[in-house]
């Protein structure tokens, strides 16, 4: 049975039925509409929807959760919603069981159809797991459709495979690591650190400024950039947090010492995975190592709740290995439309030469024959 694809390129086309399908097919909470819809709202000045909804009869069986960004070299670039400063990981095409090949090949045919290849110049998929079968199927399908697909290594993610019990996890740690765990949890048990979990949107509104301040302090102390200085990021994350809290996916803790906030832990979790997204800490409390205490608490909570993975997400910070995290390789998948202008942009990207010199070389500006 042939599949039909509908392009959703305006926010008003995101109907209740489409949003329901996005959430139904989402492989993890970062691809639910609470997260992606918030991203589209916050960054609408730099990205517009470019979702492809794949229908079998009247049912959506696949969603390519993409947006269109205008870039200096790549031109009209198809990217994942949630990419960029939000650093969303494990991004993929959401598809129902048993339909990966059918959906990805239908998307490849749609992208390379003469009437559609003029809608985009480049496609750049970042935050994709190297072993993601759906994206790998899409890359194969695009190759077979005649596009040159480039693939390169991305920044790795790290995740802790969780055992069945907390005691088993503790035994995985070294002798010094086990001592570190005991000391960290003791601070919570004896009241040196008080943990508060945010449970309502009213609490979220009341404590949000503390979270942002702690994150900024940690970044300033480390001498690294602060994502909250990036236009739109605060709006995006707070909106996403409130929506995920209402739907039961947000795990947000603040730790206090002597009634002063000293640490924050922002995570998103479903029944299988606890995804540690962001944190903050007051450098003045570094001797207490409150972050370790919160980490111990949340890993133990994840195990006791039956989750299988504690995902530390993107970044190769050395501390992740101490928690027995394993590397999850990622990739960047990139290709260009067959239109003449897109091929010029491809050459600019690959060689760094100017548009003027490429035009002199004789590459046509017209649309290539399909």
């Amino acid at each position: 049975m042939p599949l039909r694809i509908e392009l959703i390129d305006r926010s008003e086309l995101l109907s209740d039925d489409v949003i329901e399908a996005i959430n139904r097919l989402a492989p993890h909470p970062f691809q639910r509409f609470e997260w992606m819809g918030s991203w589209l709202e916050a960054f609408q000045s730099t990205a517009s929807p470019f979702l492809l909804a794949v229908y079998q009869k009247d049912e959506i069986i696949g969603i390519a959760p993409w947006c269109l960004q205008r870039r200096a070299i790549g031109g009209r670039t198809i990217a994942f919603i949630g990419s960029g400063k939000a650093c969303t990981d494990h991004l993929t095409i959401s598809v129902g069981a048993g339909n990966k090949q059918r959906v990805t090949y239908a998307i490849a045919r749609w992208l390379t159809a003469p009437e559609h290849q003029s809608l985009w110049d480049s496609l750049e998929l970042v935050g994709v797991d190297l072993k993601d079968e759906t994206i790998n199927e899409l890359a194969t399908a695009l190759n077979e459709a005649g596009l040159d697909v480039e693939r390169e290594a991305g920044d790795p993610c790290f995740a802790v495979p969780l055992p069945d019990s907390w005691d088993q996890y503790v035994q995985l740690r070294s002798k010094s690591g086990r001592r570190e765990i005991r000391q960290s949890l003791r601070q919570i048990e004896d009241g040196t650190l008080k943990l508060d979990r945010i449970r309502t949107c009213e609490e979220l509104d009341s404590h949000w400024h503390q979270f942002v301040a702690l994150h900024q302090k940690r970044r300033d102390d480390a001498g690294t950039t602060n994502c909250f200085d990036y236009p739109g990021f605060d709006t995006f994350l707070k909106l996403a947090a409130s929506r995920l809290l209402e739907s039961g996916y947000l795990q947000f803790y603040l730790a206090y010492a002597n009634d002063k906030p000293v640490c924050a832990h922002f995570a998103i979790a479903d029944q299988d995975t606890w995804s540690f997204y962001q944190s903050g800490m007051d450098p003045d409390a570094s001797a207490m190592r409150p972050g370790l205490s919160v980490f111990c608490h949340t890993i133990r909570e994840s195990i006791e709740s039956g989750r299988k993975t504690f995902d530390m997400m993107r970044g190769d910070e050395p501390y992740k290995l101490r928690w027995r995290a394993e590397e999850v390789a990622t990739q960047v998948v990139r290709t260009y439309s067959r239109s003449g202008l897109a091929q010029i942009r491809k050459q600019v990207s690959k060689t760094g030469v100017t548009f003027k010199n490429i035009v002199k070389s004789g590459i046509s500006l017209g649309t290539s024959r399909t």
Side-chain angles (χ1 to χ4, degrees), residues 310-322:
F310 191 93
D311 192 350
M312 294 183 172
M313 306 189 71
R314 199 180 315 182
D316 57 358
E317 295 88 349
Y319 80 88
K320 295 180 179 180
L321 297 178
R322 294 207 316 271

Side-chain angles (χ1 to χ4, degrees), residues 178-188 293:
R178 294 194 293 272
R179 183 171 60 252
E180 182 179 73
I181 286 174
R182 290 193 297 270
Q183 293 171 346
S184 297
L185 288 176
R186 189 177 302 125
Q187 290 194 120
I188 297 174
S293 296

Side-chain angles (χ1 to χ4, degrees), residues 32 141 249 323 362 364:
R32 287 182 60 88
Y249 293 100
W323 295 92
S364 171

Side-chain angles (χ1 to χ4, degrees), residues 187 193 255 262-263 281-282 285-295:
Q187 290 194 120
L193 276 180
V262 294
C263 183
M281 192 191 75
D282 186 346
S286 59
M288 295 179 61
R289 307 179 79 184
L292 292 180
S293 296
V294 178
F295 249 69

Side-chain angles (χ1 to χ4, degrees), residues 220-239:
D220 290 345
D221 184 65
T224 55
T225 57
N226 174 22
C227 56
F228 284 99
D229 290 336
Y230 186 81
F233 185 84
D234 185 278
T235 299
F236 150 66
L237 193 60
K238 186 175 181 183
L239 185 58

Side-chain angles (χ1 to χ4, degrees), residues 11-49:
S11 294
E12 54 266 31
L13 297 178
L14 289 163
S15 65
D16 290 343
D17 288 343
V18 171
I19 292 172
E20 183 279 329
I22 290 173
N23 287 343
R24 170 172 50 84
L25 295 169
H28 50 75
F30 286 102
Q31 286 197 220
R32 287 182 60 88
F33 194 72
E34 292 94 329
W35 184 263
M36 291 194 162
S38 301
W39 189 94
L40 284 172
E41 287 185 42
F43 298 110
Q44 57 185 306
S45 63
T46 57
S48 57

